[in-house]
Amino acid sequence: MDLEHVINRKMELKRKAELLKSELMKEVDIHFNEFVNNLIDESTVLESSSNIYPASAEKDSHRSRLRPPPEHGKLFVSRRSLLDELFEVNHIRTIYHMFIALLILFILSTLVVDCIDQGRLVLEFDLLVYAFGKFPIVVCSWLCMFLSTLIIPYAVFCTWARGYKASSHRTTRSLIFGTLFIVFQMFIIGFGPAYIVVLYDLPPASRFILILEQVRLIMKAHSFVRENVPRIFSFTKEKTAAVPVPQLTQYLYFLFAPTLIYRDHYPRNPSIRWSYVATKFAQVLGCLFYAYYVFVRLCIPLFRNISQEPFSLRVLVLCIFNSILPGVLVFFLAFFAFLHCWLNAFAEMLRFADRMFYKDWWNSTSFANYYRTWNVVVHDWLYYYAYRDFLSLFGRRFKAAAMLSVFTVSAVVHEYVLGICFGFFYPVLFILFMCFGMLFNFILHDRRKGPIWNVIMWTSLFLGQGVLLCLYSQEWYAQRYCPASSATVLDYLKPRSWTCHFHMDESRSDFFK
C-alpha cells in the first residue's frame, strides 16, 4: 500500500509539473515575442536615423529627404495580437469572463426594471435603432467615398508617374498633379462626407461611421502617394523602361487591409479561419449591446437626475466622478471591439499576418509609452508621415516642434470628428490633448518606471474618461433642450450646458433624440 501511494504521488507530481511547464512556456513565449517585436522596432528606428542622404544637388537632396527606402520604414512581420496570446492563459481569460458576467447582470437588471415599470418585457433597443438610423444613406455615401478613393488617387498618380520621366517640365507637372490630389483630399473626400452628415441630419453612430471612414480613407490615400512618389524620383535616374507603378489590385488590398502604411506586399497567412472571423464579429456585436446597456443602466439615470439641478461646481464634480465608471467601460469596449475584434476579423479575412494593432498599453508607466502602444495603427502613420517627415524637412534639431505638430494634428482631427458627429463645437478633447496630454507626455516620460507610475497613469486615464463623458453628455442634452436665444456665432460657440437648466421626459429614447 505504501509503494502504491508513493507511485500515485509521483504520478500526481508529474502531471502538475507538466501543467506548470505548459503555463511557463506560454509565459516565456509571450515575453519572447514582445522582446523580439521591441527589438525589431528599435532596429528600424536606428536604421532610419543612420541613413545618410546624398547631397549632389539641392533639388535631388530635397527629394531624397522626402522618403527613406521602404526597408527603413515600418517592417511588417507575421505575429499574433497580444490579447489572443493572453487569452490562452486561464488567469487572463477569467477577466474576460468577468466582463461577460457583468453584461449578463446589466441585461437582467434592465429586463427586471422594465418588467416592474411597464408590466412586460421591453426588447425594443430604441437607442440602437436611433443611433444607427438612416443607415441606407450611410451605405450609399460610403460606397461613393470608397470608389472615389480607389479610382481618383490611383488615376492621378499613374498619369503623373508614367509621364514624369519624359517630361521636360517635371516641377510644373508635379505641382499640377499634386494640386489635383490635394483638391481631392480636401474638397471631395474631405468636404463631401461632412456635407452629407449635416444635410441629412444623420444620428450619432451613423455620423461616426461616415466621418471615421472619411479620415481613414484620407490617411490611406496619403500613404499610397507618399510611399510611391519617391520610387518615381529614383526611377528617373535609372535606365530601366518599366515605370514602377503599383497594380490596382495592390492598392485595393491596401484600402481594406488593417494598416495605414502602404506596401506592395504584406506577410500573409496560408488560410482563413472562418470560425475565428465569426467569433470576432460576434464579439463586436456583443460590445455594441454592452455599450447600449451601459448607457441605459448607468448614463441615463445619472443625467436624468443632473438635469433637475442648475449648473454649478458641485453638480459638475459629482457628474465627473459618477461618469468615470461608464466612461471607463465604454473606453474598454471601444478598444476591444475595434482595435482587437474588428481589425483582427478583417486581417483574418485578408490573411493579413501582422496583427500588432496595439501593444501592452495597460502596463505603461508613462503617457509617452501609452501614446505609442494604445493604437499602433494610427501611431505608425503619425510617426512616419508627420513626425519623421517634419524632421526630414526641418532637421533633427526640431524634435520638440515635430512632437508638437503631431499632437496638434491628432487633437484637431479628434475634435473635428467629435464636432461633426455631435453637431456642436465643444473643444474639451482638444484642450485635454494639447494641455494635459502634452504636459503628461513630458512629466510622465519613459524614464518613469515602477508600479506607482502605472497607477498614476491609470488614475489620470480614468479621470479623463469621466470628464469627457460628463461634459459632452451635458452639452449634448443642452443643445437639444435649450435652443440658442439668438443666431450669432458667439451663441453657437458658447457651451449651453453652463447656463441652461433643462428638463427631459422619462422616456428612455427621449434622452438621445
Side-chain angles (χ1 to χ4, degrees):
M1 294 297 295
D2 292 339
L3 180 60
E4 183 179 357
H5 176 73
V6 171
I7 294 175
N8 292 335
R9 182 63 177 170
K10 287 184 176 180
M11 295 297 295
E12 183 180 356
L13 289 175
K14 184 178 179 180
R15 286 194 298 269
K16 291 183 177 179
E18 290 176 350
L19 291 175
L20 181 61
K21 177 184 176 181
S22 177
E23 297 294 335
L24 181 61
M25 292 304 296
K26 288 180 181 178
E27 294 291 333
V28 171
D29 183 65
I30 291 173
H31 290 292
F32 179 76
N33 287 336
E34 181 182 356
F35 171 78
V36 172
N37 292 338
N38 291 335
L39 184 62
I40 291 173
D41 294 340
E42 292 177 3
S43 64
T44 302
V45 174
L46 289 175
E47 287 179 359
S48 62
S49 63
S50 61
N51 187 39
I52 301 177
Y53 301 102
S56 56
E58 183 177 357
K59 183 183 298 185
D60 291 338
S61 175
H62 174 74
R63 289 174 180 170
S64 66
R65 289 199 308 269
L66 186 62
R67 183 62 179 150
E71 61 267 24
H72 295 286
K74 178 178 174 63
L75 179 63
F76 290 90
V77 297
S78 179
R79 48 194 165 187
R80 300 171 63 194
S81 285
L82 185 55
L83 282 183
D84 282 341
E85 296 178 343
L86 291 177
F87 282 155
E88 294 180 356
V89 181
N90 289 333
H91 304 291
I92 304 299
R93 192 164 59 247
T94 300
I95 300 176
Y96 173 71
H97 295 161
M98 292 167 59
F99 275 90
I100 295 178
L102 186 58
L103 172 61
I104 295 174
L105 292 177
F106 275 136
I107 296 174
L108 289 177
S109 64
T110 304
L111 294 178
V112 170
V113 170
D114 288 342
C115 190
I116 293 175
D117 292 343
Q118 303 187 26
R120 62 183 180 88
L121 293 179
V122 180
L123 298 175
E124 297 175 351
F125 300 108
D126 44 2
L127 298 187
L128 290 179
V129 173
Y130 161 69
F132 289 92
K134 302 180 181 179
F135 205 71
I137 298 176
V138 176
V139 174
C140 294
S141 302
W142 181 85
L143 284 175
C144 294
M145 277 198 305
F146 179 81
L147 291 176
S148 62
T149 306
L150 174 66
I151 297 172
I152 297 178
Y154 186 80
V156 169
F157 173 78
C158 290
T159 306
W160 169 80
R162 291 192 173 104
Y164 179 77
K165 186 175 183 179
S167 176
S168 58
H169 303 283
R170 294 176 179 176
T171 302
T172 304
R173 181 182 181 86
S174 298
L175 287 176
I176 292 174
F177 282 92
T179 302
L180 290 176
F181 177 71
I182 293 174
V183 168
F184 166 79
Q185 291 280 74
M186 292 182 60
F187 295 101
I188 298 180
I189 197 68
F191 175 76
Y195 176 76
I196 292 174
V197 161
V198 176
L199 177 66
Y200 291 98
D201 192 22
L202 298 182
S206 298
R207 291 189 178 205
F208 270 105
I209 293 173
L210 269 186
I211 298 303
L212 291 178
E213 278 295 287
Q214 173 200 38
V215 174
R216 183 183 74 92
L217 293 175
I218 289 175
M219 298 169 76
K220 291 260 191 181
H222 177 86
S223 176
F224 173 76
V225 174
R226 181 65 184 79
E227 293 289 343
N228 286 287
V229 164
R231 292 184 183 180
I232 306 303
F233 289 158
S234 301
F235 162 73
T236 57
K237 304 175 183 178
E238 300 174 356
K239 297 181 179 180
T240 59
V243 182
V245 175
Q247 298 178 3
L248 182 61
T249 54
Q250 295 173 323
Y251 180 48
L252 177 63
Y253 180 89
F254 168 64
L255 289 181
F256 283 104
T259 178
L260 297 174
I261 306 295
Y262 176 80
R263 294 289 183 269
D264 288 341
H265 303 283
Y266 299 94
R268 307 282 291 275
N269 289 332
S271 61
I272 302 175
R273 298 171 295 169
W274 290 107
S275 60
Y276 181 87
V277 175
T279 299
K280 293 306 169 188
F281 279 129
Q283 288 174 335
V284 171
L285 189 62
C287 290
L288 188 63
F289 282 98
Y290 209 136
Y292 165 80
Y293 284 108
V294 167
F295 278 102
V296 168
R297 301 308 306 158
L298 298 180
C299 294
I300 289 180
L302 170 64
F303 291 101
R304 174 182 291 135
N305 296 330
I306 291 177
S307 67
Q308 311 299 324
E309 304 179 29
F311 182 84
S312 65
L313 180 60
R314 176 183 177 276
V315 171
L316 177 62
V317 172
L318 288 176
C319 176
I320 289 175
F321 281 95
N322 290 332
S323 300
I324 288 178
L325 177 58
V328 169
L329 287 175
V330 172
F331 171 77
F332 286 151
L333 290 172
F335 161 74
F336 183 74
F338 180 73
L339 289 177
H340 180 69
C341 299
W342 186 265
L343 294 184
N344 269 294
F346 272 87
E348 187 67 28
M349 288 190 294
L350 295 170
R351 297 190 293 115
F352 186 85
D354 193 341
R355 309 291 177 86
M356 195 182 68
F357 309 125
Y358 54 89
K359 298 180 183 178
D360 59 335
W361 56 269
W362 46 85
N363 292 327
S364 299
T365 56
S366 67
F367 269 86
N369 185 69
Y370 167 75
Y371 294 142
R372 291 193 299 266
T373 56
W374 150 253
N375 188 343
V376 174
V377 178
V378 174
H379 170 266
D380 288 340
W381 192 94
L382 290 172
Y383 175 73
Y384 288 109
Y385 303 138
Y387 180 77
R388 274 186 28 172
D389 282 356
F390 187 98
L391 295 181
S392 298
L393 293 174
F394 298 101
R396 303 190 65 84
R397 296 174 299 172
F398 299 96
K399 286 187 176 182
M403 186 179 299
L404 179 62
S405 68
V406 171
F407 267 90
T408 304
V409 170
S410 181
V412 169
V413 172
H414 279 80
E415 193 57 45
Y416 162 76
V417 171
L418 292 183
I420 296 295
C421 295
F422 288 151
F424 55 81
F425 177 74
Y426 197 33
V428 176
L429 186 60
F430 181 84
I431 294 174
L432 291 180
F433 246 97
M434 294 304 296
C435 297
F436 296 99
M438 284 291 293
L439 182 64
F440 287 153
N441 185 65
F442 289 104
I443 295 179
L444 300 179
H445 48 72
D446 289 331
R447 289 191 294 272
R448 306 293 188 184
K449 303 294 182 181
I452 184 62
W453 297 107
N454 183 251
V455 173
I456 294 174
M457 192 275 294
W458 275 110
T459 303
S460 304
L461 203 59
F462 284 179
L463 185 59
Q465 299 304 316
V467 169
L468 292 174
L469 181 63
C470 171
L471 295 183
Y472 277 111
S473 297
Q474 284 191 340
E475 186 64 20
W476 169 272
Y477 298 141
Q479 290 281 335
R480 277 146 184 77
Y481 290 90
C482 295
S485 57
S486 59
T488 63
V489 176
L490 184 61
D491 288 325
Y492 282 107
L493 295 180
K494 182 173 63 176
R496 299 184 197 174
S497 57
W498 294 5
T499 58
C500 175
H501 173 56
F502 53 93
H503 176 73
M504 293 172 289
D505 298 336
E506 294 298 318
S507 170
R508 182 186 301 165
S509 61
D510 184 65
F511 279 75
F512 289 82
K513 296 182 179 179

